[in-house]
Amino acid sequence: MLRTGAAAALAIGGAIAFKTLSTPAKTTQFYSPSQVGAKIEESNASAAEYDFIIIGGGTASLVLANRLTADGKHTVLVLEAGQSGLLVNESVIPTAFSKLQRTRHDWTYETTPQISLNNRKLPWTRTKLLGGCSSGNALMFHLGAPEDYDRWAELQGGESDAEGWTYKSMKKYFTRFEKFVPHPQVPLEDIAERGTNGFMETGYFGYFTPIGKAFIEACDKVGISPVEDVNTSKGTMGVTRTATYIDSKGRRMSTERAYLTPAVLARPNLKVAVGAQVLKIRFDHSAEQPRAIGVEFAQNKGGPVFFARAKREVILSAGAVNTPQILLLSGIGNAKQLADHNIELVKDLPGVGQHLMDHATTNICYALRPGITTAKRVLKPKTLVDGLMLASAVIQYKLFATGPLTMHSQDCMAFTRVGDGPIGTKVLGRPDMDTIAADSTSGKGAPDVEVVVSSLAWRDHGHKDFDVGNAMSITPIYLRPTSIGEITLRSNDPWDKPLIDPRYYTTRRDIETAIRGIRLADVLARTEPLASMIVFDDTAHPLLDHGLNTKSDAQVEDLIRERTETLYHPTSTARMAPLKDGGVVDTSLRVYGVGGLRIVDASVMPEIVSGHTTGPTIAIAEKASDLILRLSNASLTHKIQNGMFLKALRANAHMSVLTSDLNIFQPVPLSPTTSMRSLLSPDVKAEEVSILDGYQFQTISKPEDILVFEIFETVKDDVMKKIWKLHKVDEIHNTNEVWKLETVNCYQLISYRVEEVPYGVNYYGKVMMNVQEDCVHVRVFRPSEDKGPIKFHSIQTRSSAEGGAVFTLAEPLRRFDY
């Protein structure tokens, strides 16, 4: 052993070496709160305006920031309470991520006392940096099981666009964000399902230890088959080396590094403010439905409060803890809870903060035989040899971006079912779990447990001393909890931390799954070749689990309640689900009953995925950017001022200004003699467009005044057979105007009642409507023989009625001559 002085010198030298490993360049491309907003007392006159304000600079937020500003059409403000993660070595260097915990780069949350865990309060790290938890997690690339996404769609109860959340539909977003980089030591035979052109670099550049190789062989022997890739449509069952968010230069690949590059930060339509903590969302109540119009934020408690205005949307992307907290502070949530905290009610949505789900885990530790190298010997040297290993690791990382400092803590991941099937019933010798409680997995091909292996052993996430010279751990993770928690307010002070109550292990199924997971971990530890690496002699050591095979189920349950911690995967606190099922957002991630407010982060997951949450969250953000841009690119309402009408050459065709869009076809030039049929993509069936054949259009004298118009033909009294729309998208050489043809679903107004409409409903002829972003818009036309004015009305859905929806017409918005 080193003498005290030498040990101290070694520790100091190691710390200095670590601090100089990577010195990121300083950047001045970020803004302070005062640079992006007006002081609250001055905001009515001088508030800065942006098309979109994104609350939070986390995992999903920066995907949106990149995508929404890419075409230069929209201005975006991102408000982040922390700073850049690229300026923090502990975030950049893969093996150092735990050093971020319980520092100023962490929100330092903790749970309420957990009754089922011996009344312990569990620390809940949420990274307070740009990139959010992608800047401070364990870097494990995993997307969950395909069945998870099909289950998401199923839970929408037949709502529109639910199919867009199935695995088949989400697959394109997984490949869109990924840039898979092959590794010479891990040749994948089939990379057809991996993304290669995305922003997030994935691969196998993390340090891999002999323990990982032995773990895979042990899994194979007990019946968990080795698989090449657990991130494909084939499913996620089996054991594999862990793919990571570590780039080929040995650095953490956070969404900040991937999506917020210097070139993106330099975009004139993007501002990213750091040190900006959001206090609440502000609303306009002039219409029947409240609408989000801006955000209040500050740099510190007691300091000036700033306000910025959102012209289009406020996008809440603050994570599964902060998102419900901000909603509640803003007056959206359970009415009673808000009243208890003297918060003015904006919208009664009882689902806000409810249905909290998280992955719990229990670490099982074993001592290793002498001579087996573990990460602890390198990262926490106690001998001269250990110190030399650290120095070697530093040099290796600096020169080649490889070695122990690229380790992400978990060498391998194994996914299986312990509730039923051969592992649960044969290997563990336990009855089918369905005899205890209903299956909680997303499908029979999906796992209920993940088991990971590490060449580190720890307690309390590494924050308590683990005084065992050489040790490893096997950790079961319980993937499909039935214990559901909640997040509520501590007070109406936005600087107070929320109350987090996951309610771990409040169901018998969860406890039984945890017991089986621990039994499986111990079986693997006692299976060759892993068993030969472990010294099982000391069965009484309080930090080691060598005697686990002799413990009763009751003793294992006691161990679970004493030792369980979070895996930092909270989800579902503002979930996408029907309103009657406690949903907060619809299938377009829009908050129910509130205009201009959308949520994009892990809180919208209908249920937690069967694996790790970073990848699914990025995919959600990629999809959300499509949803937002699809609408916004054709909803330039601030440019539609004059309300011009185009006159059709056919008397039974009506044209009007429209500000929504759906499925876009090919760009084509428009001229006075253009036929509607010629505008269609070749793959559109002829019978679908027969009613459009022969339609022609006059030249638009002032195209800048109208960007979108619609054409429809009535077939029966109140039914539209089809609507076609043309949307101007560009100009070619300043001569030919380029348009895109779109198709929209048709709707029928079955029943309605009218308020404050001067002429009465019987005086009007055809009633046409289409669903837009925040409400339904109706066009009420006089009969064709009447050349009087046409009135536009906006309407709100009142209630459901058999065969259709019941609507109320509001005051006319404007009048046009026809």
Side-chain angles (χ1 to χ4, degrees):
M1 294 293 292
L2 290 172
R3 289 178 295 183
T4 303
L10 181 60
I12 294 171
I16 294 173
F18 175 78
K19 288 296 181 183
T20 59
L21 272 172
S22 175
T23 306
K26 299 289 182 181
T27 177
T28 58
Q29 292 178 292
F30 300 114
Y31 294 82
S32 68
S34 63
Q35 292 175 306
V36 297
K39 288 185 178 180
I40 200 76
E41 59 271 16
E42 305 167 358
S43 61
N44 288 335
S46 61
E49 286 191 334
Y50 307 86
D51 289 321
F52 300 99
I53 297 178
I54 302 174
I55 297 175
T59 301
S61 313
L62 302 187
V63 178
L64 295 171
N66 181 307
R67 297 299 190 187
L68 296 184
T69 58
D71 61 7
K73 294 180 180 179
H74 308 108
T75 56
V76 173
L77 170 65
V78 177
L79 297 170
E80 165 58 36
Q83 66 173 74
S84 170
L86 302 184
L87 303 178
V88 181
N89 274 326
E90 290 83 354
S91 176
V92 175
I93 301 168
T95 198
F97 68 91
S98 66
K99 295 180 180 293
L100 293 169
Q101 298 174 358
R102 306 175 198 182
T103 70
R104 65 189 179 92
H105 303 307
D106 180 3
W107 285 93
T108 61
Y109 292 136
E110 66 177 12
T111 70
T112 58
Q114 295 297 287
I115 296 174
S116 57
L117 301 182
N118 300 337
N119 284 318
R120 290 186 294 128
K121 294 182 179 181
L122 275 59
W124 257 44
T125 286
R126 310 309 298 152
T127 306
K128 193 175 182 180
L129 291 170
L130 282 171
C133 290
S134 75
S135 292
N137 63 14
L139 304 112
M140 301 170 75
F141 171 62
H142 185 245
L143 300 171
E147 293 87 344
D148 296 339
Y149 302 94
D150 295 339
R151 173 69 174 160
W152 285 7
E154 178 187 340
L155 288 171
Q156 304 317 303
E159 294 290 326
S160 63
D161 297 328
E163 288 301 306
W165 292 97
T166 62
Y167 180 81
K168 181 179 179 181
S169 297
M170 290 295 291
K171 181 67 178 176
K172 64 180 178 181
Y173 298 111
F174 301 144
T175 55
R176 178 190 289 183
F177 81 69
E178 184 186 11
K179 182 181 180 180
F180 175 71
V181 180
H183 191 286
Q185 295 179 6
V186 192
L188 297 187
E189 293 182 5
D190 183 10
I191 61 170
E193 293 195 49
R194 304 301 292 269
T196 56
N197 297 312
F199 293 118
M200 290 291 290
E201 194 168 316
T202 69
Y204 297 91
F205 291 97
Y207 187 65
F208 191 65
T209 69
I211 293 171
K213 183 176 182 296
F215 179 79
I216 291 176
E217 294 183 41
C219 284
D220 192 19
K221 287 185 177 180
V222 303
I224 304 173
S225 300
V227 293
E228 182 179 71
D229 194 346
V230 292
N231 289 302
T232 74
S233 58
K234 297 176 183 177
T236 196
M237 301 287 277
V239 61
T240 190
R241 176 173 171 173
T242 303
T244 68
Y245 297 104
I246 299 174
D247 69 12
S248 54
K249 297 180 180 179
R251 305 169 303 183
R252 170 185 294 275
M253 181 53 65
S254 66
T255 56
E256 181 186 12
R257 182 177 298 281
Y259 285 88
L260 209 62
T261 63
V264 173
L265 281 170
R267 291 174 183 171
N269 56 329
L270 173 63
K271 290 185 177 180
V272 178
V274 295
Q277 182 163 332
V278 169
L279 308 182
K280 70 174 184 178
I281 302 165
R282 196 188 290 183
F283 300 90
D284 174 18
H285 297 276
S286 61
E288 183 174 349
Q289 183 184 76
R291 183 176 184 85
I293 59 169
V295 178
E296 295 182 11
F297 52 97
Q299 188 159 4
N300 47 63
K301 186 172 184 178
V305 176
F306 301 93
F307 175 74
R309 187 177 300 277
K311 292 184 289 186
R312 294 188 175 282
E313 289 187 8
V314 173
I315 303 172
L316 191 45
S317 189
V321 176
N322 289 17
T323 282
Q325 182 191 24
I326 292 170
L327 285 172
L328 292 165
L329 289 168
S330 304
I332 299 176
N334 183 284
K336 183 181 184 305
Q337 182 185 169
L338 297 177
D340 290 344
H341 291 293
N342 297 315
I343 296 173
E344 180 181 355
L345 179 67
V346 172
K347 179 65 179 178
D348 184 13
L349 275 181
V352 172
Q354 300 303 298
H355 212 274
L356 171 62
M357 303 183 78
D358 185 33
H359 288 146
T361 183
T362 311
N363 208 31
I364 307 301
C365 302
Y366 302 92
L368 290 167
R369 295 191 180 280
I372 298 175
T373 301
T374 65
K376 182 178 179 181
R377 292 190 62 190
V378 178
L379 301 178
K380 296 182 178 181
K382 290 191 173 183
T383 69
L384 181 58
V385 173
D386 293 347
L388 292 173
M389 291 173 64
L390 172 59
S392 175
V394 170
I395 294 170
Q396 185 178 0
Y397 185 78
K398 291 281 282 186
L399 294 179
F400 307 109
T402 60
L405 296 186
T406 65
M407 191 184 70
H408 53 95
S409 81
Q410 311 291 351
D411 290 45
C412 302
M413 48 174 60
F415 296 90
T416 189
R417 295 177 69 94
V418 297
D420 55 25
I423 297 298
T425 58
K426 295 181 180 179
V427 176
L428 301 179
R430 304 179 80 91
D432 193 305
M433 186 83 85
D434 287 347
T435 62
I436 299 173
D439 184 12
S440 65
T441 63
S442 56
K444 288 299 183 182
D448 54 13
V449 160
E450 175 187 4
V451 184
V452 295
V453 67
S454 176
S455 62
L456 285 169
W458 62 85
R459 289 286 186 274
D460 188 24
H461 305 281
H463 296 280
K464 290 182 179 177
D465 186 40
F466 197 91
D467 192 20
V468 176
N470 226 22
M472 59 162 285
S473 61
I474 303 177
T475 306
I477 302 162
Y478 318 115
L479 297 175
R480 299 291 295 180
T482 55
S483 302
I484 304 299
E486 67 176 3
I487 290 176
T488 56
L489 292 178
R490 189 181 303 271
S491 74
N492 61 11
D493 184 348
W495 299 94
D496 275 354
K497 296 175 182 178
L499 297 173
I500 301 171
D501 185 7
R503 296 175 186 150
Y504 294 116
Y505 297 127
T506 52
T507 68
R508 190 64 218 170
R509 183 178 184 99
D510 287 356
I511 282 290
E512 174 65 17
T513 303
I515 292 172
R516 294 184 185 205
I518 287 176
R519 295 291 192 199
L520 175 58
D522 194 55
V523 167
L524 291 170
R526 298 173 190 278
T527 301
E528 295 294 348
L530 202 53
S532 295
M533 295 178 149
I534 298 172
V535 181
F536 289 102
D537 298 343
D538 189 353
T539 59
H541 197 295
L543 295 175
L544 299 173
D545 296 295
H546 295 170
L548 191 59
N549 62 328
T550 66
K551 293 183 182 295
S552 66
D553 279 0
Q555 289 173 311
V556 173
E557 184 173 333
D558 287 343
L559 180 151
I560 291 167
R561 299 189 186 281
E562 174 189 338
R563 200 185 296 174
T564 288
E565 299 288 348
T566 175
L567 197 67
Y568 312 117
H569 288 175
T571 70
S572 310
T573 51
R575 62 198 295 254
M576 177 178 63
L579 192 58
K580 63 181 177 60
D581 296 331
V584 176
V585 298
D586 64 14
T587 52
S588 292
L589 308 183
R590 298 169 298 195
V591 175
Y592 285 117
V594 181
L597 182 59
R598 203 180 300 252
I599 301 175
V600 183
D601 57 32
S603 69
V604 304
M605 293 184 187
E607 291 179 345
I608 197 167
V609 294
S610 306
H612 300 261
T613 52
T614 297
T617 301
I618 297 172
I620 288 170
E622 288 281 9
K623 178 178 174 63
S625 69
D626 271 4
L627 293 171
I628 296 166
L629 288 173
R630 186 184 69 184
L631 189 63
S632 298
N633 282 341
S635 299
L636 304 176
T637 54
H638 61 289
K639 291 187 178 180
I640 300 175
Q641 301 292 340
N642 298 336
M644 291 174 54
F645 272 86
L646 301 179
K647 294 182 180 180
L649 300 183
R650 290 249 314 249
N652 61 345
H654 301 279
M655 292 183 175
S656 60
V657 174
L658 187 66
T659 59
S660 67
D661 93 305
L662 279 174
N663 304 312
I664 297 176
F665 291 123
Q666 63 183 4
V668 293
L670 181 68
S671 73
T673 59
T674 299
S675 167
M676 283 298 297
R677 183 186 296 275
S678 69
L679 300 181
L680 297 174
S681 296
D683 58 346
V684 177
K685 296 179 181 178
E687 58 266 25
E688 293 179 348
V689 299
S690 60
I691 64 170
L692 302 171
D693 191 26
Y695 279 18
Q696 295 177 333
F697 306 92
Q698 294 179 331
T699 302
I700 303 172
S701 59
K702 297 176 66 178
E704 69 276 7
D705 292 332
I706 284 190
L707 299 181
V708 184
F709 61 90
E710 68 179 349
I711 304 158
F712 54 84
E713 181 174 38
T714 57
V715 179
K716 294 183 180 179
D717 291 338
D718 292 339
V719 183
M720 290 182 297
K721 185 175 180 182
K722 277 288 182 184
I723 301 178
W724 298 93
K725 299 180 303 173
L726 293 172
H727 171 50
K728 182 180 178 183
V729 295
D730 201 355
E731 291 187 358
I732 298 179
H733 307 304
N734 297 319
T735 55
N736 295 325
E737 292 169 359
V738 179
W739 303 75
K740 285 185 179 179
L741 182 65
E742 307 160 3
T743 179
V744 183
N745 291 330
C746 300
Y747 299 87
Q748 180 179 5
L749 190 61
I750 303 297
S751 59
Y752 52 84
R753 60 181 184 272
V754 180
E755 297 175 357
E756 300 179 6
V757 176
Y759 300 105
V761 69
N762 292 331
Y763 194 85
Y764 291 91
K766 307 301 183 289
V767 181
M768 310 299 173
M769 72 177 187
N770 70 284
V771 178
Q772 292 194 30
E773 177 190 4
D774 298 314
C775 61
V776 178
H777 283 241
V778 164
R779 279 83 172 140
V780 181
F781 294 89
R782 293 179 183 278
S784 58
E785 65 271 11
D786 187 340
K787 301 302 182 183
I790 296 176
K791 303 181 75 62
F792 277 32
H793 304 271
S794 71
I795 66 177
Q796 310 281 346
T797 301
R798 289 295 197 187
S799 61
S800 295
E802 186 175 355
V806 178
F807 300 95
T808 297
L809 296 185
E811 291 185 353
L813 297 181
R814 62 173 69 90
R815 180 177 297 181
F816 304 98
D817 289 330
Y818 179 53

